[in-house]
Amino acid sequence: MHSLLKKSALVFLLCIGPLNLLFCFPLTRRAAYYCSSGVAMIFFLDAAVNYFLQLHYGVSPNTTIVWQSLFNTNVNETVEFLINNLRDITEALLIFLVITIGSLFVLGVLSRSILNDSTFFSRRPEKMVAIFATLIIIALHFNPTLRDANPVAYWPIRYLEYRSDIAYFKQMQTLMKTNVTNSNPLTLQGKAGSQRTVVLVIGESSNRDNWSLYGYGRKTTPELDAMRNEIIVFRDVISAAAFTQDALKMLLTPATLAYPERWQTDPNVVMLAKSAGYKVFWLSNQTHTNRGDTFVSVITENTDVKTFTNSGYRGASPQDDVLLPYVKAALNDRAPLKFIVVHLWGQHQMYSSRYPANAAVFGSNDDAVTQSMRSSGRSRSIIKKRNEYDNAIHYGDKVLANLIGLTAELSKNVPTALMYVSDHGQEVGHNRDFAGHSIKEESGYTVPALLWVNPHSPLEVNKAELETRPYQTDKMDTTLLRLLKISSESGKDQPQYDLLGKDFAPFPREINGHSY
């Protein structure tokens, strides 16, 4: 509401200020009419974008994640976003068109009378009002809050900031390397021993409420269900953020919800692992721009081997099983200490592209899930997306089971652990008639997390206790460092945040600024 009032005030001042100043002179009145029409359309379109983002994602364009995502996307992701949100985008555009057409009609009627009246705005007081309003609107733009309410100024300024961020990310890479170099190597080496393998599998957009492993009504994870006794299933883990970049910043670095900027000053898990003697692999099926303009670019800059299997072009997004040969090669690598990060495409929108067409399992039967969604008022399109989402999870179950199987087979004689956790969750008709990222509901944060270890890597705490521990992924770097048997720098080792340790203590958690 505050944003709408700011935008309305700016439109009003624009109309009585610089635009009416043009109306004061006969030769520029027609230009004023066209300028008024253009300004009105820009503001109404901005209002439609605000409506769409606020209603469906709980964010506004002023949120950093929005403009960073816009400037850092590619054609493939853009097309998938438009297709997946076609209904909601169409609704916002229809509202925009109705308001715009009505407003332009009124503006046209008023402007025609002005254009045909040679005496309009010819008096000195009217000109002074227009000049005064023009000066006010110029002065208001020195205020960042009001300047951001003007879409004509907002988006160009955000793009310049984005370009500045690219340079900043590259500077951060150099700074982080310096931080590690200046660290005490003896502190970083820890107790990894002569051989050790740690595999971190990062899921994408996976909500644990859709896993049969967590009690979901559909059999979406049959292979993981079958190996239930072999894995530790953490039942109360939530992500730190509902979007990938922010979630990974806190999952892989000392940054937390309380101290979000620590990723800029303190070494991340990848850098510490490499400094302690690990050979680090980054194997990803996510798209990669090679521009060095994302947090992932900062992380992967310090890896020994990095592979991106997804080119980012439309129709060229392979399913996650494409990573299996690369994981196998990494496990067979002769390096005694290996840290292998596997970044899945998981259940990212659009869901139907995350599994082969012949691997669809859900959708044809009117089962209990479908009936429950229908009785809750979910539309046919959202029910269809839930079916596709569950199919993506069913296919991801097979991929994750294969990753665990490969790790077990190829690391029999080496202390080995595999940790899986999703970056964030997904709202797919759980709480409302919507499918996608959500910072408003728990479904955007409730994530699956599990651990597999071989006999050479025993745990300090029994399985039953571990599985019930409440946790949030902004502290996950502590757990990963202890899996790697690395002690962080003096004063920063916090065993109470180690999900697997005997000194673990529950800590306050929050979702979107509210206690969880």
Side-chain angles (χ1 to χ4, degrees), residues 169-179:
F169 274 124
K170 292 178 179 179
Q171 291 175 1
M172 288 305 305
Q173 294 171 356
T174 303
L175 178 61
M176 287 181 176
K177 286 181 179 179
T178 302
N179 287 341

Side-chain angles (χ1 to χ4, degrees), residues 370-378 383:
T370 301
Q371 293 171 13
S372 175
M373 293 186 70
R374 190 182 298 116
S375 65
S376 298
R378 304 296 180 253
I383 292 174

